[in-house]
Amino acid sequence: MLAFLSKRMALLAFTMLVVSALVFAAFEFTPGQVARKVLGPFATQDQVDRLTEELGLNRPVVVRYGEWLGNTLTGDLGYSTLYKTDVNKIIGDRLQNTLLLAGIAFAIIVPLSIILGISAGMKEGSFLDRSISVASIVTTSVPEFASGVFLASIFVIWLGWLPGTSPLDTGTGWSIWQQLVLPVCVMVLYDLGYVVRMVRASMVEVMTRPYIRTAILKGLNFRAVILKHALRNAMIAPFTVILLQLNYLVTGVVVVEAVFAYPGFGRMLLEAALAQDVAVVEAGALFAVLISVFTQIAGDLGYMMLNPRIRFS
Amino acid sequence: MANDGIIALTWNRVRLLKESPIGMIGAFLVIFWIVVALFAPLLAPFNPNISNMDALIDPTPSAVNWLGTDNQGRDILSRIIWGSRTVLIVAPVAVFAAYVVGCLMGLIAGYYRGWVDQVVNRIADILLSFPAIVLYIIVIMKVGAKATNIILAVIFISSPQIIRIVRGMTLELREREYVAAAKMRGESALYIMLVEILPNARGPLIVDACLRMGYTTIAIGVLGFLGLGLPPPDPDWGGMVKDTYAMMSIYPHMSLFPAGAITSLVVGFSLLADGMREISIRD
Amino acid sequence: MSSATAATMDRPQAEGAKRPILELRNVSISYFVRAGELKVVPNISLTLYEGEALGLVGESGCGKSTVAFAIMKYLGGAGRVTGGEILFEGRDMTKMSEAELRGIRGGRMAMVYQDPMSSLNPVITIGKQLMEVPLIHSNVNEAESYKRAVQMLKEVNLPDPEHIMTRYPHQLSGGQQQRVVIAMALMAEPSLLVMDEPTTGLDVTVEAAVLDLVAQLRKRHNSAIVFISHNLGTVVRICDRIGVMYAGELVEEGPIGEVFRDPRHPYTRGLLNCIPTLNADKRTRPLSAIPGQVPPILDRPKGCIFAPRCPAAVPERCSVAPIPTETYGSSGQHRVKCVRMEELPKHERPGTSAAPANANAAQRHDAVLTLDGLKKTYHQAIGMFGGAGYDVHAVDGIDVAAERAETLAIVGESGCGKSTLAKVLTGIELASSGKVTLAGKDIGNTAVENRDGDTKRAIQMVFQNPESTLNPSHTIGYVMERAISKLKRIGGKAARAQVDDLLRTVNLPLEFANRKSRQLSGGQKQRVAIARALAGEPELILADEPVSALDVSVQAAIINLLVDIQKKRGSTLLFISHDLSVVRYLADHVAVMYLGKVMEYGSVADIFAPPYHPYTEALMSAVPIADPDVKQRRIILEGNVPSPQNRPKGCPFATRCPRKVGSICDDTQPPEQVSESGHRIACHIPMTELASVTQVVF
Ligand SMILES: Nc1ncnc2c1ncn2[C@@H]1O[C@H](COP(=O)(O)OP(=O)(O)O)[C@@H](O)[C@H]1O
Ligand code: SF4
Ligand code: SF4
Ligand SMILES: [Mg+2]
């Protein structure tokens, strides 16, 4: 176990290093651009050069990467040229908002997908199975911006029950919770179906296993067969997939955030990248890698816990 | 070659599809859009990029502009019809390119195992843990807003996943006895990978490719929606939603129609994939 | 007399009249698939009395499992009992509700399955899985069911039951798993036990132990048994009566002795003629395969289903109307479904020869293949990543030689290193040390990619699994053509011209060239595989269990084909097998392996007569023999093959050897004793002493 964890940690560090270096390199081909972006199109070339100098952007890439790395290791993520504040602060704020959104969506997706997936998969080809499967396929196929449009037309424009934007300030007259409803719905709709299908596929497969037959021919009733014998086996394969959704929910929600003007992590990355705000993009990328690797580790650990074959090998 | 070729084998599956109603609906949707894209010049009633200033007074659907006009007075129906071309050219090319990369790397990693496998896996891991949006933006910054950037971005995002699928199947298929027999008669590694292994991985790959067409369609839409897609004024469905989303509360049709268009195409791909999957379980 | 028959006689019987436990009356069973209704079992009737054991035999796909699951009234989504009555203890199962069925399943009627590993839930401990049974059926509390489970584990001879209770299925060996499944079935004292191929897939020594256990428990618990098997030998060990199934029909049924001594149905006779036995070989008796194949379910012939393959068929009588089942002989218990049952001559038992004269012994040929101290060691890492680990000596110093035009058989149980040996010979793995000399060239350390063209041609292989031996994407013609052009190093066009010859060599119709493997039966696939190996006219054909996945009738045909080809071409055959009967039939020389070492080597004559190596002796005594009149000394081996980590320091067999002479066996590697005829035995017991034991089979 310890060997496993330390190996994974080393891998995490390596991945973060490579990703940050790649991001740095990618943004560094055009150093002058940054100062130009900051100062706007009407600044003179002289001013741009001066700021470039001031920001230390004319030194070699490697030196600046080294410096950035050193700072990052001490916890200083640098200064955002876009948001004009410390990266630590803006990242903290945005991450918090996104985690709120992601947390709620995850809390809905996990139990719902398990219930739906298991119900569909326990009798392959049944009416329930077909309905759930087709519904899942359709909902995951609607792009988030499209479902945003659909939901907004119904609940915002037609019924007027919910706000069309979610800037998370109460000045609009809508409570924070009301503002969260639509973004959460869009995320759940888009992601739920995928997880449901994973759980269903696993359950279908488990139900064909001979040990399920053994359980039935022991005289157990259907409920006990499902709950005692099938459920745990059916959760082994999708467990990792479920955890990996956290990844999408935290770093992949840029569209939802854009649709609802939600001040989240994904939109911050988008804006920063477009503005060539390297410090923010670097920090964001690191967090993204961190989350993705951690969900992977957690997924593997959970997989081991669920599966005695690996636990005792 | 006595090997039937992927195309013939794929066609077999298509013929079988009539046994899956779900798959048929998917196929219908996809074929509908392919026909629309092919005959766009004939079908589109107006030039998609020309504004009709008169329409701006009342952009809602009418006998002239069946689906209404957009915020700049352009005919929405024509823009949707032309927009289908963007998607249906870019998505297949992008998916195909991602498959070429993914299959080769996956085959090599799974067949040789050892350090080759380690290296390929690491690369795939790193690409996968890169936030997709940052990856897109980096590609776009380097290449500019062109169709090629979408294709490149899709290669970067999709091929690691394809690598994983192909690698997994290769690891399993390389242990088959017919592979041992091929080795024993002195076949080259390339022959074994391409002729003995790859054709037998086709079932799941066809299904995946079909799903991936859907994802890629979404990705193209998303890039358009985020303003990273094709440069205006060429119509692209995501971009159409982006341009008109601000006017949702007054003219919802401007966003709803393109949103509906992209949704129907993606749903088509997904249902088709499901039909394919159902069939592949059977044989 | 076998213990099973003894059991029948000991049993107290209620005033002569035995009570029927199970009665199938005109039961028909169908599967409903897309192609339509498959009438898999059109009409079957049978009766099973209290405490009686009925064996159902037949080739795969003939409906044995279908009948077994129909008895449990469990046929999955697609299957249905479409007619007739299944009376269990007088009540018709087909009319019961799910709740009533639940009360019976696992209680009064229980089942033991093929493949115990997959029949046990991998994420639940053995204890919990066992305790469920009394909790459902006996209305007792946890503590009591725990006690019963432990007690039952003791009864099935599992060591340390308390410990086993806390284990997960994957932590047990195959034999232990099957004991657990048997324990689970017996937990609620069922009056009927349905066993579907309970020993298929187990090693022969483990199989023997499980069969003995079943025979024992039968006596103690007085359960009636339906015992399903494709292996007639196992049925002889367990059952009082036997039913022979063909294509969904019960063609012959009766007391074991009557059916085996005087089989009346041509199919039963065919089956008996095509199984190799421990006391016959290719010089004394040819195996006669049953020609043709089982007809597809949707295309059954009119009248007798067996007619297309029946050597005694008379079309005017056999293929007109349905064939009735009638009783034969005076016992009134022997039932046969054949219009010619009365007139057929008495069945000739295939010739046997207890101690074969060795035809080849005198004339030694030069060796084609020589193995010198061949070793293959794998490094096994511990845990998921750890660098530390241990070495597995899969092949641990082997010296044998195969002569031109002879068959050398390598025999041993699973895990003894047979397949690793094959991999090293083929160059898919490299030898760790030692030499492999093929036609004068050392090839042990040349990977297959680096072997020269002639070496590749000279050594070709036939694999075990017909399902994976041919690439499903390629046509048979392409497979052949490619093999010919690569091995003979000629162009594609020239190769294509030779495809037909090759197909003819293995007796396949020429139009098969256009087919793909999924359109072929298992036996046909194996023929293609043989043809592929022959393409370059190799000196050495390596066959790794080439017939073990095949049905007996097909198996016989493939074995005959191998014998034929060898005779014609003079190629050497290295035949790897776990099946002593097949080895006895086919081999000229035999090497018996255990834990990577050769325990005994010699001509068939030497191997199958005393002196025996104690391991060979145990193996032979374990083989189920399909003849109630053949006597066999029984030696039950305790325990499992040791794991590679704690292999014994001395004799590899020391942990299980019934003839162990003391600590010298544990501590010192046994010497290899060689007789004049070249018979080698690695054992501390002197050969002369080993020679004094009696025949295992007589
Ligand atoms: N679930 C099923 N659906 C359709 N056909 C089946 C099913 N199960 C078994 N069969 C068919 O029924 C026949 C008898 O099978 P089975 O009872 O398993 O035979 P056995 O146990 O003797 O090998 C075979 O032809 C088999 O293909
Ligand atoms: S009825 Fe005729 S064809 Fe059938 S087994 Fe008897 S003799 Fe052969
Ligand atoms: S050496 Fe000892 S343990 Fe080994 S086979 Fe001979 S008697 Fe048995
Ligand atoms: Mg069976």
Side-chain angles (χ1 to χ4, degrees):
Chain A
M1 185 63 108
L2 243 129
F4 167 79
L5 276 182
S6 52
K7 181 148 181 176
R8 271 319 182 81
M9 287 300 162
L11 216 59
L12 169 65
F14 173 74
T15 312
M16 289 175 85
L17 212 62
V18 174
V19 169
S20 64
L22 283 178
V23 172
F24 222 88
F27 279 75
E28 282 308 327
F29 284 112
T30 48
Q33 295 271 318
V34 178
R36 170 64 65 189
K37 275 249 157 84
V38 174
L39 294 173
F42 303 113
T44 62
Q45 189 56 40
D46 198 39
Q47 286 170 311
V48 172
D49 290 346
R50 226 175 317 123
L51 186 68
T52 307
E53 178 97 41
E54 237 170 79
L55 292 171
L57 293 175
N58 48 359
R59 291 171 301 150
V61 176
V62 187
V63 176
R64 275 175 294 131
Y65 178 67
E67 186 186 73
W68 173 85
L69 199 62
N71 288 341
T72 304
L73 288 177
T74 59
D76 173 15
L77 293 173
Y79 182 78
S80 160
T81 49
L82 172 67
Y83 298 102
K84 313 266 188 296
T85 169
D86 280 344
V87 176
N88 295 47
K89 186 177 170 320
I90 175 90
I91 287 249
D93 283 355
R94 295 302 187 94
L95 209 51
Q96 216 175 348
N97 292 344
T98 291
L99 284 179
L100 176 69
L101 200 58
I104 298 175
F106 196 63
I108 297 174
I109 289 171
V110 172
L112 210 58
S113 62
I114 294 178
I115 293 173
L116 289 174
I118 297 286
S119 328
M122 67 191 183
K123 279 213 172 107
E124 194 190 6
S126 65
F127 178 71
L128 188 65
D129 176 24
R130 286 179 180 276
S131 322
I132 293 178
S133 296
V134 172
S136 308
I137 294 170
V138 172
T139 55
T140 36
S141 303
V142 188
E144 297 134 296
F145 65 85
S147 57
V149 166
F150 298 144
L151 290 179
S153 343
I154 299 174
F155 294 102
V156 179
I157 298 164
W158 184 34
L159 299 170
W161 290 351
L162 293 165
T165 56
S166 315
L168 288 194
D169 64 55
T170 39
T172 53
W174 297 93
S175 75
I176 297 283
W177 299 116
Q178 283 168 319
Q179 295 183 32
L180 284 173
V181 173
L182 281 182
V184 167
C185 277
V186 170
M187 286 164 80
V188 170
L189 269 183
Y190 186 64
D191 202 34
L192 180 69
Y194 178 70
V195 186
V196 167
R197 291 173 69 198
M198 290 291 163
V199 176
R200 173 197 173 270
S202 171
M203 183 68 179
V204 164
E205 147 84 15
V206 163
M207 289 307 284
T208 63
R209 306 265 99 193
Y211 55 79
I212 294 299
R213 185 183 67 195
T214 307
I216 295 172
L217 294 184
K218 251 179 197 178
L220 283 172
N221 60 34
F222 191 66
R223 200 187 141 83
V225 172
I226 298 296
L227 295 181
K228 286 193 186 145
H229 285 263
L231 188 58
R232 193 160 149 206
N233 283 296
M235 289 317 297
I236 292 176
F239 187 83
T240 321
V241 174
I242 291 180
L243 274 183
L244 285 182
Q245 297 318 305
L246 272 176
N247 247 337
Y248 155 74
L249 292 177
V250 176
T251 63
V253 285
V254 51
V255 183
V256 177
E257 293 173 353
V259 171
F260 296 101
Y262 188 90
F265 182 78
R267 234 177 91 216
M268 174 198 75
L269 271 184
L270 174 67
E271 287 164 357
L274 287 176
Q276 311 231 349
D277 185 347
V278 188
V280 172
V281 175
E282 277 288 3
L286 286 193
F287 272 104
V289 172
L290 206 63
I291 292 167
S292 110
V293 176
F294 264 111
T295 48
Q296 272 174 40
I297 295 177
D300 288 348
L301 286 180
Y303 185 84
M304 281 195 248
M305 302 308 271
L306 280 171
N307 193 346
R309 273 192 229 206
I310 293 179
R311 207 167 355 133
F312 297 102
S313 65
Chain B
M1 232 196 307
N3 186 8
D4 273 10
I6 298 277
I7 294 174
L9 294 165
T10 310
W11 177 241
N12 266 345
R13 250 152 238 269
V14 173
R15 273 192 337 210
L16 275 173
L17 203 63
K18 61 179 181 296
E19 294 178 16
S20 159
I22 295 289
M24 284 303 284
I25 297 175
F28 171 79
L29 285 170
V30 172
I31 291 170
F32 170 81
W33 282 113
I34 290 177
V35 170
V36 168
L38 279 178
F39 298 105
L42 302 178
L43 293 172
F46 295 97
N47 182 322
N49 292 337
I50 292 191
S51 308
N52 174 1
M53 289 310 156
D54 300 340
L56 277 176
I57 300 161
D58 178 16
T60 50
S62 65
V64 182
N65 302 103
W66 291 358
L67 300 183
T69 52
D70 70 1
N71 57 335
Q72 295 181 33
R74 296 173 296 196
D75 181 51
I76 292 182
L77 177 62
S78 304
R79 285 183 73 74
I80 287 182
I81 290 173
W82 280 96
S84 67
R85 280 204 161 183
T86 316
V87 173
L88 285 169
I89 292 171
V90 176
V93 173
V95 170
F96 181 76
Y99 257 88
V100 172
V101 176
C103 284
L104 281 180
M105 305 261 283
L107 279 168
I108 290 172
Y111 185 72
Y112 287 105
R113 301 188 294 191
W115 66 267
V116 180
D117 187 25
Q118 294 281 330
V119 169
V120 172
N121 260 332
R122 276 300 80 70
I123 295 174
D125 274 352
I126 287 169
L127 284 177
L128 279 177
S129 52
F130 235 94
I133 192 67
V134 174
L135 205 57
Y136 278 135
I137 290 167
I138 290 178
V139 170
I140 285 158
M141 279 182 354
K142 296 297 160 210
V143 184
K146 285 190 287 216
T148 33
N149 79 48
I150 302 179
I151 294 169
L152 263 181
V154 170
I155 294 177
F156 276 117
I157 303 229
S158 279
S159 48
Q161 296 165 15
I162 300 170
I163 289 175
R164 290 206 165 164
I165 302 176
V166 175
R167 171 183 173 272
M169 299 197 61
T170 306
L171 280 176
E172 194 190 317
L173 290 170
R174 77 189 292 284
E175 303 300 331
R176 294 289 158 89
E177 289 167 354
Y178 53 78
V179 172
K183 282 185 192 164
M184 289 193 66
R185 64 172 184 258
E187 301 288 4
S188 68
L190 194 67
Y191 174 93
I192 294 180
M193 286 189 264
L194 294 182
V195 181
E196 298 283 342
I197 294 179
L198 192 58
N200 294 309
R202 66 179 182 269
L205 290 185
I206 291 171
V207 174
D208 177 79
C210 204
L211 275 179
R212 207 162 285 287
M213 289 289 289
Y215 298 149
T216 306
T217 304
I218 293 185
I220 295 170
V222 162
L223 287 178
F225 181 76
L226 295 177
L228 304 171
L230 298 182
D234 282 338
D236 105 54
W237 294 344
M240 289 169 73
V241 177
K242 179 201 102 187
D243 292 341
T244 58
Y245 188 66
M247 306 170 72
M248 264 292 284
S249 49
I250 318 162
Y251 297 124
H253 74 273
M254 292 182 183
S255 301
L256 273 173
F257 288 126
I262 189 169
T263 301
S264 68
L265 179 57
V266 182
V267 168
F269 278 126
S270 301
L271 294 180
L272 184 60
D274 195 63
M276 297 276 193
R277 187 189 51 79
E278 213 177 295
I279 291 160
S280 72
I281 293 172
R282 283 182 194 161
D283 59 35
Chain C
M1 173 137 306
S2 79
S3 57
T5 356
T8 329
M9 290 170 36
D10 296 348
R11 204 175 309 117
Q13 286 175 8
E15 278 103 76
K18 289 188 283 183
R19 194 165 63 96
I21 288 287
L22 177 75
E23 263 182 278
L24 304 193
R25 291 189 188 154
N26 300 319
V27 172
S28 47
I29 309 163
S30 295
Y31 289 105
F32 293 85
V33 295
R34 276 183 310 139
E37 178 182 357
L38 300 179
K39 297 187 178 169
V40 169
V41 176
N43 184 337
I44 192 169
S45 300
L46 53 85
T47 308
L48 187 64
Y49 295 94
E50 212 178 0
E52 187 182 41
L54 168 72
L56 280 184
V57 298
E59 297 174 85
S60 61
C62 70
K64 304 180 301 287
S65 299
T66 302
V67 170
F69 284 102
I71 292 172
M72 301 291 294
K73 189 73 202 310
Y74 177 82
L75 287 164
R80 196 160 3 114
V81 176
T82 50
E85 294 176 325
I86 301 174
L87 299 179
F88 174 65
E89 298 187 322
R91 293 163 62 209
D92 187 358
M93 300 269 295
T94 60
K95 299 207 170 61
M96 284 185 200
S97 68
E98 271 301 309
E100 281 174 296
L101 287 172
R102 276 204 298 276
I104 291 177
R105 289 174 183 158
R108 303 293 300 146
M109 182 196 273
M111 187 149 182
V112 174
Y113 315 85
Q114 181 177 352
D115 192 8
M117 176 67 177
S118 59
S119 303
L120 293 168
N121 195 322
V123 303
I124 305 180
T125 57
I126 301 293
K128 281 220 177 94
Q129 298 192 48
L130 285 173
M131 283 159 62
E132 268 180 343
V133 177
L135 285 174
I136 307 166
H137 293 286
S138 308
N139 202 12
V140 295
N141 62 16
E142 293 257 338
E144 172 63 20
S145 43
Y146 182 86
K147 246 178 48 204
R148 291 194 190 179
V150 172
Q151 172 59 30
M152 207 58 230
L153 286 177
K154 266 196 206 118
E155 274 199 51
V156 295
N157 301 334
L158 280 169
D160 197 358
E162 276 89 0
H163 182 64
I164 300 262
M165 291 283 285
T166 66
R167 305 281 80 189
Y168 288 92
H170 73 277
Q171 295 171 304
L172 307 184
S173 70
Q176 289 175 325
Q177 288 165 356
Q178 195 57 296
R179 283 162 195 267
V180 168
V181 175
I182 292 173
M184 190 146 76
L186 289 175
M187 284 292 287
E189 293 281 331
S191 57
L192 175 65
L193 202 54
V194 181
M195 310 184 93
D196 185 15
E197 308 255 7
T199 58
T200 305
L202 299 180
D203 268 323
V204 60
T205 57
V206 180
E207 169 175 66
V210 169
L211 290 176
D212 267 22
L213 174 74
V214 172
Q216 228 178 62
L217 292 171
R218 222 194 114 192
K219 220 187 281 186
R220 198 177 313 152
H221 294 266
N222 196 32
S223 303
I225 296 180
V226 175
F227 185 93
I228 288 169
S229 179
H230 68 278
N231 183 335
L232 286 105
T234 58
V235 171
V236 171
R237 286 220 176 146
I238 297 291
C239 301
D240 314 309
R241 284 199 296 144
I242 182 172
V244 180
M245 287 189 70
Y246 179 75
E249 294 187 343
L250 193 59
V251 294
E252 180 158 13
E253 193 231 314
I256 292 269
E258 272 181 58
V259 173
F260 276 88
R261 276 172 215 128
D262 191 13
R264 282 285 120 194
H265 196 283
Y267 179 62
T268 315
R269 295 177 172 209
L271 275 184
L272 287 170
N273 286 347
C274 68
I275 33 183
T277 57
L278 262 188
N279 47 13
D281 63 38
K282 61 184 170 190
R283 291 162 211 94
T284 52
R285 135 189 193 215
L287 288 181
S288 32
I290 303 175
Q293 300 169 42
V294 183
I297 293 169
L298 289 173
D299 189 21
R300 295 251 159 104
K302 216 169 126 196
C304 178
I305 310 185
F306 188 56
R309 306 173 72 189
C310 179
V314 183
E316 315 82 82
R317 294 168 59 199
C318 303
S319 299
V320 186
I323 309 291
T325 304
E326 282 166 293
T327 42
Y328 173 81
S330 52
S331 73
Q333 294 188 29
H334 189 168
R335 299 190 299 152
V336 186
K337 196 181 180 87
C338 170
V339 288
R340 300 195 59 200
M341 67 171 176
E342 298 285 354
E343 66 209 63
L344 289 177
K346 179 140 176 70
H347 179 55
E348 284 296 323
R349 302 296 288 278
T352 59
S353 60
N358 199 339
N360 273 14
Q363 47 191 105
R364 309 285 296 183
H365 296 269
D366 45 335
V368 170
L369 176 80
T370 323
L371 309 182
D372 274 320
L374 183 67
K375 286 194 184 190
K376 173 71 196 178
T377 308
Y378 292 103
H379 185 76
Q380 184 81 55
I382 294 178
M384 282 177 81
F385 300 105
Y390 52 89
D391 287 336
V392 178
H393 303 279
V395 170
D396 196 14
I398 286 193
D399 308 279
V400 287
E403 289 161 20
R404 185 167 309 287
E406 77 149 5
T407 301
L408 169 66
I410 311 265
V411 64
E413 294 177 282
S414 59
C416 73
K418 305 184 297 278
S419 292
T420 308
L421 180 64
K423 281 196 187 136
V424 173
L425 296 184
T426 56
I428 287 168
E429 299 272 359
L430 292 183
S432 306
S433 67
K435 268 169 77 175
V436 178
T437 317
L438 178 76
K441 242 179 281 173
D442 180 9
I443 56 167
N445 258 308
T446 321
V448 60
E449 304 92 70
N450 305 326
R451 289 186 175 175
D452 60 46
D454 196 53
T455 307
K456 283 181 203 148
R457 183 198 58 75
I459 176 168
Q460 281 294 310
M461 179 152 173
V462 179
F463 302 88
Q464 169 169 10
N465 184 352
E467 296 318 309
S468 98
T469 201
L470 299 178
N471 192 326
S473 305
H474 298 172
T475 61
I476 304 309
Y478 177 72
V479 170
M480 305 278 211
E481 176 196 321
R482 192 76 196 179
I484 297 169
S485 85
K486 285 307 260 191
L487 292 171
K488 288 198 169 162
R489 280 163 285 172
I490 57 178
K493 205 162 177 192
R496 214 162 301 145
Q498 298 182 22
V499 168
D500 286 0
D501 287 341
L502 212 48
L503 282 170
R504 261 181 236 122
T505 313
V506 295
N507 305 334
L508 282 177
L510 301 185
E511 63 266 22
F512 272 35
N514 299 320
R515 296 209 188 156
K516 293 205 175 162
S517 67
R518 79 180 110 83
Q519 295 162 282
L520 270 54
S521 70
Q524 290 166 341
K525 285 179 200 163
Q526 246 4 14
R527 281 175 196 270
V528 175
I530 291 172
R532 179 177 61 190
L534 290 174
E537 298 178 10
E539 269 85 65
L540 179 72
I541 302 171
L542 198 62
D544 186 0
E545 304 262 14
V547 295
S548 38
L550 303 175
D551 270 316
V552 279
S553 68
V554 184
Q555 179 179 331
I558 298 291
I559 292 176
N560 286 337
L561 177 67
L562 284 172
V563 172
D564 247 31
I565 285 170
Q566 193 181 23
K567 243 187 238 156
K568 274 194 215 128
R569 305 202 169 198
S571 39
T572 305
L573 184 63
L574 189 75
F575 187 86
I576 296 177
S577 178
H578 69 280
D579 187 336
L580 275 177
S581 312
V582 173
V583 165
R584 165 74 192 264
Y585 179 79
L586 193 60
D588 299 301
H589 282 86
V590 181
V592 181
M593 279 180 74
Y594 187 76
L595 275 182
K597 281 193 161 29
V598 172
M599 310 300 289
E600 182 173 5
Y601 169 83
S603 63
V604 252
D606 287 339
I607 296 286
F608 287 87
Y612 301 114
H613 186 282
Y615 176 60
T616 315
E617 186 183 14
L619 271 184
M620 264 180 228
S621 88
V623 177
I625 297 179
D627 186 341
D629 298 324
V630 168
K631 305 271 189 306
Q632 196 177 12
R633 260 192 305 125
R634 306 301 320 280
I635 303 163
I636 295 293
L637 285 190
E638 299 300 333
N640 304 305
V641 182
S643 73
Q645 288 145 287
N646 40 24
R647 19 183 314 126
K649 208 159 88 238
C651 172
F653 191 47
T655 53
R656 301 167 78 198
C657 180
R659 294 195 184 276
K660 191 171 159 187
V661 284
S663 59
I664 183 173
C665 292
D666 293 318
D667 302 333
T668 320
Q669 298 240 350
E672 190 164 74
Q673 314 175 53
V674 187
S675 80
E676 280 161 41
S677 65
H679 186 192
R680 299 180 344 220
I681 291 182
C683 182
H684 286 296
I685 305 175
M687 220 157 177
T688 43
E689 200 174 309
L690 288 172
S692 65
V693 304
T694 55
Q695 285 272 357
V696 173
V697 181
F698 50 98

